[in-house]
Amino acid sequence: MEMIYLIMPGKISDSFAEVVKTATENYQLTIVKTIQDFPVDLRNKKIIFAIELDECGFNIPLFGMLLKLKERGDDSLLGSRAVIIIQSPSELFTKSTAQKIIFLTNQMGCRFPGHPVVEATYNFSNFLTWQKTFKLPLLKIYQEQSIELVKKLTEENLKLINRPKILVLHSSLFKTSNTLMLWKMVKESLSGEDIRELHVENGTVVDCRGCSYKTCIHYSEEKSCFYGGIMVKEILPAIEEADCIIWLCPNYNDAISAKLMAVINRMTVLYKRVKFGNKTIFSVVVSGNSGSDCVVKQLIGALNINKGFRLPPYFTLTATANDPGSVKGIPGIDKRVKKFAEDIRREIKK
């Protein structure tokens, strides 16, 4: 039986410990509770982050561990795959902390399957919607989802493709956009690949209307959406067909641009019909001054945690460039671009 490394730092309540025990009881575990417990090498491992937060949303020993991993180098988790079980004593912090864990470890080479997080908020209130479907006590739903999550960790089935279809989504103008200039550099290193670019123009994608579950299911079965338009005619079919989607995201006030966020929101109608777990996402994020990590974590939350796209190691290329064209002059950018293109090919192409 393959070893699973259970990273469970800080103060842990009996109730959380019992959930984790139930989820992992059929597996061989190495339990890591302190920095002193850390294995010499955490590459090519299966990892569970079991994290209980305090009232302020902190688990300070966890970030001491992540710092130690970072000190080992940017390949300290290369080849590893992880999931997260996270619990908070309030209604806050589970999602934002999970995003941060994924962001930091992904930059050290860790991959994550789609839907890699089971979270529990105060009184398990985040499971109330699930209870309408499963008709079980909230704690039981929490336990069952944790069991399924650990099972998912052990059953990775990465399929490489002879000629993968790559979809690139953006909403910028080539004349001034450092983000598109950086993508063009990446694209040159991906010559010969099957790449389709879609520009989400002003006024072409209306944000999600928030239809009821039954209404959304109806439109999903009809391969349509309430608003129709380019989203139904071009973008959703392109996402369904693609093996890999690259999101080009300039930093707009430390967030994804409204047009691309509208695309993500409108994907729910496709999500109800198509599973995204075999589709890989990458991103290119450029900030004028700072904050690229804010945008990247938003992508992780929306696309990997919520929508279930698989997250490969080193899934994002970030840069800071303000004046138009200045991205080309960043020291070492050519080397970073080449590595990013190599990462894309390695993750999707046979």
Side-chain angles (χ1 to χ4, degrees), residues 57-76:
F58 297 143
N59 185 307
I60 293 173
L62 165 68
F63 290 99
M65 291 182 176
L66 294 175
L67 178 58
K68 180 168 183 175
L69 283 171
K70 185 68 174 177
E71 290 170 348
R72 291 181 178 180
D74 290 337
D75 65 344
S76 60

Side-chain angles (χ1 to χ4, degrees), residues 11 19 35 38 49 68 84 89 93 106 127 152 251 271 299 330 348:
K11 186 178 179 180
V19 169
I35 290 180
F38 248 57
F49 289 96
K68 180 168 183 175
I84 300 170
F93 309 122
N106 182 261
F127 294 110
K152 179 189 295 185
N251 181 351
Y271 170 76
L299 287 167
I330 295 175
I348 63 175

Side-chain angles (χ1 to χ4, degrees), residues 1 39 55 57 59 80 85 114 127 153 184 187 209 262 281 284 302:
M1 182 182 295
E55 292 285 350
N59 185 307
S80 290
I85 303 173
F127 294 110
L153 174 69
K184 186 177 179 181
K187 186 178 179 181
R209 179 175 179 264
I281 56 169
V284 176

Side-chain angles (χ1 to χ4, degrees), residues 295-310:
V295 179
V296 175
K297 283 183 279 190
Q298 193 177 9
L299 287 167
I300 289 170
L303 297 171
N304 174 240
I305 297 177
N306 291 347
K307 289 292 188 285
F309 289 91
R310 63 177 294 271

Side-chain angles (χ1 to χ4, degrees), residues 177-245:
S177 172
N178 277 304
T179 309
L180 288 185
M181 292 176 195
L182 184 55
W183 159 244
K184 186 177 179 181
M185 296 166 68
V186 175
K187 186 178 179 181
E188 289 171 355
S189 294
L190 289 171
S191 60
E193 302 300 335
D194 184 352
I195 298 174
R196 179 183 181 186
E197 298 180 8
L198 283 179
H199 179 206
V200 183
E201 299 184 52
N202 284 331
T204 58
V205 177
V206 181
D207 207 345
C208 182
R209 179 175 179 264
C211 292
S212 69
Y213 178 81
K214 289 184 178 180
T215 301
C216 194
I217 285 290
H218 167 74
Y219 282 115
S220 178
E221 291 171 347
E222 297 294 321
K223 296 186 177 182
S224 184
C225 181
F226 175 83
Y227 287 116
I230 188 176
M231 194 69 194
V232 170
K233 293 178 181 178
E234 289 193 53
I235 298 176
L236 290 180
I239 292 172
E240 183 174 0
E241 183 181 352
D243 302 299
C244 170
I245 304 170

